[in-house]
Amino acid sequence: MQYPWHVPIWQHLAQRYCSAQLSHALLLSGNPGLGKAILSEQFAQWILCEAATKRPQLPVPEKLLPCGKCNGCLLYSAASHPDLMRVSPESEGKAITVDAVRNIANFLALKSQFAEYQVVIVAPAEAMNKYAANSLLKTLEEPTPNTLLLLVSHNMGSLLPTIRSRCQVISCPVPDATQANDWLTQAMAQSALPTEDTKSLLMLAEGSPLLALEYAKAGTLSSYKQLLQSFEKLTKKQSNPVEEVGLWLSVGLAPSLKWMYLWVAELIRFKSGVMVVDNNTILSEPVLGKVAESVESMRLYTFLDKITDSIRTLPTQVNVQLTVEDLLISWSRLNR
Ligand SMILES: [Zn+2]
């Protein structure tokens, strides 16, 4: 299976490969939820596939995927292809260590066993700690022939500039709204999920279809709507932080902060007069009007900074309850 928004990227990569112009290091970059890891796996399998080794004639056919039947594909499917190496953190949120990256150099020092190429996938590349990144730099600077390094990143900005500049950056953009919506509607129908909320789900997922599907399966939209209602009630003084905090804690700090940011940013846009109220507006008109009338812009910006600070320190937050309470109380006070 191939995601429709991957087709142009495949075309580009396959064309480079078939004309022997593939860079030895590719950096696949884009937002989470676009299937970059799957794309890197599919492309790695294709490079190891015997059908690819025959290098299709240019222009490359539109549907170009691993054959699934050859020796290379069978070894890949059995997770035992000796010419493929994956480097990832030991568990989610952990760093990729320098030892793991040194293994790449050792692996590439060997000759390929079956395929024409040796392929290494590093995902997510931003998980490399400083020492690991510096170690990879040496491998990138001294490329060995017929090797392909595939770096996958959700946050290219956090990579060392020297790593970025030694890779060919392949951007995986968010698909256009119609394509994303069509795909999501079909995928949700296949999973027997109701399909009327696809647009809201895509809005929450910032246009990433796979993330939107994950949200649909997890019931994220209903949590979002509950928090939005709670936020509006706090703004209109129809409730107080003590009554609301439990709901916010049950949804979790990360989504709470992300959505609150979205709403406060909308309030700032509305207050500054750059936004017109239309179908895409999230907050209700009474809430927009009340805040625009009674809260100074500077205080909104300060509050947005407060949310940003909490987002930045999210991985090290120890007292989640305190953070949520503090935000809700601050917001409530702002709306006197
Ligand atoms: Zn194959």
Side-chain angles (χ1 to χ4, degrees):
M1 188 199 41
Q2 189 170 40
Y3 297 118
W5 58 93
H6 286 173
V7 171
I9 307 174
W10 260 101
Q11 290 283 298
H12 173 74
L13 291 178
Q15 228 150 45
R16 305 281 299 196
Y17 175 78
C18 295
S19 52
Q21 286 180 325
L22 192 67
S23 164
H24 75 287
L26 302 174
L27 172 55
L28 205 55
S29 151
N31 289 347
L34 292 167
K36 297 186 298 300
I38 296 168
L39 176 63
S40 73
E41 285 287 335
Q42 282 180 336
F43 190 63
Q45 187 188 347
W46 186 70
I47 291 286
L48 300 170
C49 170
E50 284 164 15
T53 319
K54 294 189 187 96
R55 293 189 197 264
Q57 293 290 303
L58 290 169
V60 292
E62 193 170 315
K63 291 273 175 201
L64 203 64
L65 281 172
C67 77
K69 295 175 202 135
C70 72
N71 190 36
C73 284
L74 293 178
L75 282 167
Y76 173 89
S77 299
S80 57
H81 203 300
D83 299 321
L84 172 65
M85 182 186 188
R86 296 183 184 86
V87 179
S88 284
E90 272 181 24
S91 60
E92 213 188 311
K94 286 251 170 78
I96 293 176
T97 61
V98 67
D99 287 339
V101 171
R102 280 197 190 117
N103 284 338
I104 298 178
N106 298 338
F107 170 76
L108 294 179
L110 303 168
K111 284 245 176 306
S112 65
Q113 312 253 332
F114 291 105
E116 189 186 326
Y117 262 77
Q118 284 174 295
V119 185
V120 180
I121 300 175
V122 182
E126 58 269 24
M128 283 187 290
N129 66 25
K130 192 170 68 181
Y131 309 105
N134 277 314
S135 176
L136 185 70
L137 215 48
K138 285 198 204 101
T139 307
L140 290 171
E141 278 164 354
E142 296 154 13
T144 38
N146 289 352
T147 59
L148 175 64
L149 275 157
L150 276 167
L151 275 62
V152 181
S153 174
H154 308 308
N155 184 7
M156 196 172 78
S158 65
L159 292 175
L160 284 183
T162 38
I163 289 210
R164 288 204 304 267
S165 66
R166 279 164 182 77
C167 297
Q168 190 198 346
V169 177
I170 305 290
S171 299
C172 188
V174 167
D176 74 60
T178 312
Q179 190 179 58
N181 199 56
D182 288 352
W183 183 86
L184 184 62
T185 306
Q186 207 182 357
M188 285 174 68
Q190 275 169 8
S191 302
L193 291 162
T195 55
E196 68 268 15
D197 285 328
T198 49
K199 289 208 168 88
S200 307
L201 284 162
L202 282 165
M203 184 274 289
L204 279 191
E206 293 169 81
S208 295
L210 295 168
L211 188 60
L213 181 62
E214 216 176 280
Y215 284 169
K217 288 178 178 165
T220 306
L221 195 58
S222 114
S223 305
Y224 172 82
K225 285 178 180 165
Q226 282 179 316
L227 284 203
L228 178 58
Q229 205 180 21
S230 169
F231 181 78
E232 292 211 330
K233 279 200 304 201
L234 285 169
T235 311
K236 290 189 280 189
K237 291 281 168 203
Q238 288 168 352
S239 185
N240 61 61
V242 180
E243 281 175 56
E244 299 299 318
V245 72
L247 174 67
W248 290 69
L249 286 171
S250 72
V251 172
L253 188 56
S256 297
L257 290 171
K258 192 174 148 189
W259 298 337
M260 207 183 215
Y261 183 94
L262 211 65
W263 303 327
V264 176
E266 180 167 274
L267 286 166
I268 290 176
R269 281 201 307 280
F270 182 75
K271 192 166 166 74
S272 61
V274 295
M275 189 189 94
V276 283
V277 179
D278 61 16
N279 283 342
N280 297 321
T281 306
I282 307 167
L283 296 160
S284 67
E285 280 197 78
V287 165
L288 289 167
K290 182 181 181 298
V291 175
E293 208 172 275
S294 62
V295 186
E296 287 166 37
S297 289
M298 266 325 285
R299 300 190 71 187
L300 286 177
Y301 279 112
T302 310
F303 189 74
L304 198 68
D305 284 346
K306 196 178 169 77
I307 304 174
T308 312
D309 281 345
S310 303
I311 291 174
R312 204 178 45 238
T313 54
L314 201 59
T316 54
Q317 290 276 348
V318 277
N319 199 331
V320 173
Q321 176 152 2
L322 201 69
T323 309
V324 173
E325 276 173 2
D326 181 39
L327 276 169
L328 297 189
I329 292 168
S330 302
W331 180 246
S332 225
R333 283 199 185 136
L334 213 73
N335 286 282
R336 268 178 208 287

